[in-house]
Amino acid sequence: MLILNSVVNGVLFGGVLALMAFGMNLMFGVVQIVHLAYGQFIMVGLYLVYVLAILYHVPLLLSCAAATAAVALLSILAYYLVVKPLLKAPPINQLLALAGVWMVLENACLALFGATYKGVQVVLPVLHVGELYIAASNLIGFVVGLITLAMLYLFLNKTYTGVAIRAIAQDPEITGIMGVNPRTVYLVTFAVGGALAGITAACFVPVYSVHPHFGGAFTLLAFIIVILGGMGNLLGGFIGAFIIGVVTSVSSTLLNPEIGQIIVLLICLLIIIIRPQGLLGVRGK
Amino acid sequence: MLKIEGLHAGYGGFEVLRDVSIEVGAGETVAVLGPNGAGKSTLLKVIAGLLKPSSGAIHFENRRIDGKAPYEIVEMGISLVPEGGRLFPELTVYSNLMMGSFNKRTRRYFKDSLEEVASLFPIIKQRKNQVAGLMSGGERQMVAIARALMSRPKLLMLDEPSSGLAPKIVASIFEFVKEIKDRGYSVLMVEQTVKKAVNVADHIYLLESGRVEFHGKKEDFLENPKIKRSYLGI
Ligand SMILES: Nc1ncnc2c1ncn2[C@@H]1O[C@H](COP(=O)(O)OP(=O)(O)O)[C@@H](O)[C@H]1O
Ligand SMILES: [Mg+2]
């Protein structure tokens, strides 16, 4: 029962992870850039919710919505200031520049908020469903994650901009002769990726307190999920998120959270060694 | 309609096209023939805006287009079917066609364009939910031409539509090209297989090592003794 319980909670948490990884995966697939500062955008989102809800007493849901919009704007800003000038630069330069964004955001938060944990103290109940104990925070994350992903699915399949985003990930040259201005697509992708970081932050509000070094672990976690599923493969990332969610949850219950993290990293290493293209990735792509 | 003058282009320092001048009149079908490596694909890439020429000028409907971005050139009414079709392999046929009508000029006519194109290629309706990467080579080529037509081009450019296809399918592809021509489109086609291409063309250019070695009407091409010997095998 204990294991089943943690499997269920792991699956639920996987919903948020899927959302988080989707943003990084999308930016990688479309712009061919590994967004090293992705976790820091989530961190900024959490700080914004803290500032609005606690310091300015804005209602929590409104704070979350505003934080999401602000992180999307920040992502657009990062695109214009850092990514766009380096679109044709070697990948290492892009990585270093995004590492720079990471440093700037971390240290800005350190300067503004100090090194202590800040959080919105929302206490959500634990629900009894039959013999299962389900954290309401996990359930909320799961529902929000899946609804957002369903909307993204429609966007990517039904709208011109969405289909262009998928097309450019497959063949950028030909996408141009379809009448697509790649810069516009990159911009939209960064806006969407930023919004996803913001929504992820909103889902994290009842789960985590935030501190200036909060982001790194989540950049890493998102990256691991993306590698697990196959870089740029959206469905693979989706499945990978649930695997990581369950593995983390079960190993934390049976052993402890630190061992859980080690196991996640081991899975990542194994994938890189045995199946570098990821679960659903295609070799050589 | 399309006028190319003194075009030079290449990759890095490596010059591929040397002083190429080509004209396509409205409603005309022009074939640029030449062996592998002659620079045929390079020529179409330059026109489509995928490669910047090093010198020369390209005018389309009296507007200068060289140096413009690919997405601007589609808006003006030039569409390219790249070598091998280059469909988006993970998108469905329908989504590929959607991409074809992406440009602002024709997006709102999507439904009409689809009907029009489906009257030529019924396959696009039968297979609309199939993922393009799983189709056969001939089917992909048809969908690629359909995708290009979705942008309602004034000038359709075809890069070796017959390459890699079985002879029977090649014949049907050229039937389609003929049908497209009869519907009033201007066509600029590059090909290696001479005979089939010559049949549908009004004007022929012969490109060798990046230079135009011959140009003229189909009849002159067929009568030219040197060409008879080296290209037509008679
Ligand atoms: N992307 C490229 N980079 C460098 N050289 C190229 C590239 N594409 C083609 N070439 C070279 O340009 C020449 C002409 O190629 P291409 O235009 O593809 O010829 P064709 O289509 O007539 O077979 C060839 O020598 C080829 O090797
Ligand atoms: Mg070629």
Side-chain angles (χ1 to χ4, degrees), chain A residues 231-253:
Chain A
M231 294 195 66
N233 189 308
L234 299 175
L235 181 62
F238 184 74
I239 295 168
F242 288 99
I243 294 176
I244 295 294
V246 170
V247 168
T248 315
S249 170
V250 171
S251 50
S252 307
T253 311

Side-chain angles (χ1 to χ4, degrees), chain A residues 38 41-42 45-46 49 64 67-69 71-72 192-203:
Chain A
Y38 194 61
F41 280 77
I42 300 173
L46 280 163
V49 173
C64 289
T68 298
V71 175
V192 170
L196 291 182
I199 296 172
T200 304
C203 294

